[in-house]
Amino acid sequence: MSLDYLWTGFAVALTPTNLLYSLLGCFLGTLIGALPAIGPINGIALILPIAYTMKMPPESCMILLAAIYYGAEYGGRITSILINVPGDAGAVMTAMDGFPLAKQGRGAEALTMSALSSFVGGILAVVGLTFFAPLLGLFAVKFGPAEYVALMVFAFATLASMVGAEPVKTLIGCLIGLLLTTIGLDPTSGAYRFTFDQPELHDGIEFIIIVIGLFSISEILLMLEHKFAGTLKPIPIGKGFPSWADIKACWWPTIRSSVSGFIIGVLPGTGASVASAVAYTTEKRLLDKGTFGKGDMRGLAAPEAANNAAAGGAFVPMLTLGVPGSGTTAVMLGALLLYNIQPGPQLFTEKPELAGGLIASMYIGNIMLLIMNIPMVRLFVKMLQVPNTWLIPTILLLSILGVYTAYSSVTSVLMMIAIGVMGWALRKQGFDMAPIILGFVLGKVLETNLRNALALSGGEVSILFQSTISNSLWVMAVLIVILPWWLARRSRREAIDARDHP
């Protein structure tokens, strides 16, 4: 594909008006991402009517909305790292090592590293979008239900890396997540399951409600418990820039996670939450020596790179096929249709100012976000100096407002609180929240596609093994489980042989 459209796009994106829209979108996106439960979808849905009524040109509107999208992916890390409250779905895995780093007094370092990793992931995604969009669009079309089943099994295989010293608790957590996905409308038959005749449960439990409950509410309860016990200690701020040793250690995890995040983002229906989960568990499988989950900078960099790369990847099917790669790009597709513009391969030749302007603005926006976010790290970490008597009710208020704004339902708020109490009780017993979240995220995609695949084949399981893509994923899933066990066994055998035959 010729890159003439891109040079046209830079001419559009570098106009003073569109540079201002990029800057405004990055700023608003960062704020939206930092607020619990709001997320890029709701942020874009709020801004779109305003942008349209202002009679903005379509390329300017898309530049603004795209900047809000990837700005929110940056912003979601702020509260995730500092107070263990993910701003959006993609920031859930960031909290796994981000919050422990903050408790060690390395919150400023963690924020800086997340900004650097997000920048690398975002830029690599835009490069992939620039050079491989049509090819990847055709690749995404080849993913049917069987391929998605294999992909989800591969993702579950990476979950084996999180077993640690208490495999039973990890398994129970994963099963809890899977059980929560069964509540609501059956994706195939249309029957209601485990709703107890409550209309509020007909659509199931929303992901944001579970995330805010398990992380925000349970964290508030733990903070209150320690406060009443007199054991709640203030978190130090620490220095602002990670060491070069940390940056060097995070380089390859960031690159690997950017590539995997971009590819997963290209696939419709996956998104940043799946991409960051796969990246985190994969890097944990490859690198962990007991430090992941306790404040390992690599465990922070991997999901941050992946979720920003996934955001860029989601534009591929939207622009080349007219198929949204995520909920956020679905709203942006609606924005294009408002302007009577139909996305597709012809968009790059018939509307180069739109396609090129959007892609060029993503290069510019990622640079803006990096320049904007690193100097603001010291401002963000001031949050840690807020007295707990103010911080705890503020977190609670933001959580309640976020969920109520997203779903306009008191029942959703009560459900969030109930899940938070459950999360607090589980954390008291030593359970990790990550397997629950992963079970919920992956389980919903797995069930829907497994049911669809079996419906297409008339119940024949062989459909899951009929394509090269699915078979490759099955092999990778087996290898990621078996290979570390085999290598560890071989190392023990060699150690015994060396001891017996010096």
Side-chain angles (χ1 to χ4, degrees):
M1 181 177 65
S2 171
L3 294 181
D4 290 343
Y5 79 94
L6 186 62
W7 314 133
T8 302
F10 271 108
V12 171
L14 288 171
T15 60
T17 301
N18 286 331
L19 283 174
L20 180 61
Y21 283 136
S22 286
L23 183 61
L24 176 63
C26 289
F27 178 72
L28 291 175
T30 301
L31 293 180
I32 289 168
L35 295 173
I38 302 299
I41 298 180
N42 294 312
I44 289 176
L46 291 171
I47 298 297
L48 176 57
I50 300 173
Y52 186 69
T53 54
M54 289 173 60
K55 306 295 184 184
M56 291 173 58
E59 57 270 18
S60 297
C61 180
M62 295 303 293
I63 286 171
L64 174 63
L65 299 183
I68 292 173
Y69 184 14
Y70 49 77
E73 297 298 335
Y74 271 74
R77 78 196 197 284
I78 299 170
T79 49
S80 182
I81 291 170
L82 297 180
I83 54 177
N84 202 27
V85 180
D88 60 18
V92 171
M93 301 312 297
T94 302
M96 295 295 103
D97 280 277
F99 187 57
L101 283 166
K103 290 198 293 186
Q104 295 168 17
R106 303 180 69 193
E109 295 176 60
L111 285 172
T112 303
M113 178 60 75
S114 71
L116 294 172
S117 300
S118 297
F119 173 75
V120 173
I123 287 293
L124 288 180
V126 186
V127 171
L129 177 59
T130 302
F131 290 98
F132 306 113
L135 180 63
L136 287 169
L138 294 174
F139 171 72
V141 171
K142 294 182 179 179
F143 259 74
E147 286 74 20
Y148 275 108
V149 169
L151 177 63
M152 291 303 104
V153 171
F154 169 74
F156 271 111
T158 65
L159 184 63
S161 65
M162 303 187 72
V163 167
E166 298 185 276
V168 174
K169 289 182 178 178
T170 301
L171 179 61
I172 291 174
C174 188
L175 290 175
I176 291 172
L178 288 171
L179 288 173
L180 289 173
T181 66
T182 63
I183 297 173
L185 192 68
D186 187 296
T188 303
S189 69
Y192 290 117
R193 306 178 301 188
F194 309 113
T195 59
F196 306 102
D197 294 326
Q198 298 297 315
E200 293 83 1
L201 292 176
H202 285 178
D203 292 329
I205 302 177
E206 296 291 344
F207 178 68
I208 291 296
I209 293 175
I210 290 180
V211 169
I212 300 299
L214 290 180
F215 284 87
S216 178
I217 302 303
S218 68
E219 188 65 34
I220 288 170
L221 292 173
L222 286 174
M223 291 172 71
L224 286 172
E225 182 181 355
H226 288 301
K227 183 173 178 61
F228 290 133
T231 57
L232 186 60
K233 299 178 181 178
I235 299 176
I237 291 179
K239 62 180 182 178
F241 204 86
S243 67
W244 288 111
D246 280 333
I247 293 174
K248 184 178 178 182
C250 292
W251 174 248
W252 284 113
T254 297
I255 298 297
R256 285 192 296 265
S257 300
S258 298
V259 174
S260 66
F262 177 66
I263 294 172
I264 291 173
V266 168
L267 305 176
T270 49
S273 55
V274 174
S276 59
V278 170
Y280 181 84
T281 52
T282 300
E283 294 304 319
K284 191 174 191 297
R285 189 75 167 172
L286 292 173
L287 304 172
D288 187 27
K289 297 187 183 300
T291 56
F292 272 57
K294 300 176 182 177
D296 193 311
M297 201 68 78
R298 298 168 300 177
L300 167 74
E304 278 298 288
N307 65 39
N308 282 272
F315 282 94
V316 171
M318 187 196 83
L319 293 176
T320 60
L321 304 172
V323 177
S326 65
T328 308
T329 52
V331 179
M332 296 183 68
L333 177 61
L336 285 176
L337 297 177
L338 278 177
Y339 286 97
N340 294 316
I341 296 172
Q342 180 60 51
Q346 75 284 354
L347 187 68
F348 291 84
T349 53
E350 295 180 1
K351 294 280 187 182
E353 72 282 358
L354 176 63
L358 174 60
I359 294 173
S361 74
M362 294 171 72
Y363 284 102
I364 297 166
N366 275 283
I367 295 171
M368 284 182 174
L369 280 165
L370 185 66
I371 296 172
M372 181 191 302
N373 275 260
I374 289 183
M376 292 177 68
V377 163
R378 302 298 298 180
L379 176 62
F380 294 147
V381 295
K382 292 291 184 183
M383 191 185 304
L384 299 176
Q385 294 183 324
V386 176
N388 289 308
T389 51
W390 290 95
L391 184 60
I392 292 173
T394 300
I395 298 172
L396 179 61
L397 179 63
L398 287 174
S399 301
I400 292 173
L401 285 177
V403 170
Y404 187 79
T405 302
Y407 306 110
S408 302
S409 168
V410 174
T411 303
S412 296
V413 174
L414 295 176
M415 199 180 305
M416 171 195 70
I417 294 172
I419 290 172
V421 173
M422 179 190 75
W424 169 76
L426 289 172
R427 289 174 72 173
K428 292 283 291 179
Q429 298 302 316
F431 282 84
D432 194 345
M433 297 297 99
I436 300 177
I437 295 296
L438 293 179
F440 185 83
V441 171
L442 304 178
K444 186 165 289 188
V445 181
L446 175 62
E447 182 196 7
T448 301
N449 285 284
L450 178 60
R451 300 281 293 275
N452 289 340
L454 294 176
L456 288 172
S457 68
E460 290 292 333
V461 179
S462 59
I463 192 175
L464 302 178
F465 309 96
Q466 289 179 354
S467 76
T468 302
I469 294 175
S470 58
N471 287 335
S472 299
L473 288 167
W474 284 111
V475 170
M476 290 167 61
V478 171
L479 287 176
I480 204 169
V481 173
I482 299 297
L483 196 57
W485 170 81
W486 179 78
L487 290 173
R489 184 177 179 181
R490 190 180 71 172
S491 297
R492 288 195 299 269
R493 188 183 302 116
E494 289 176 351
I496 293 173
D497 290 343
R499 184 188 62 195
D500 294 341
H501 304 89

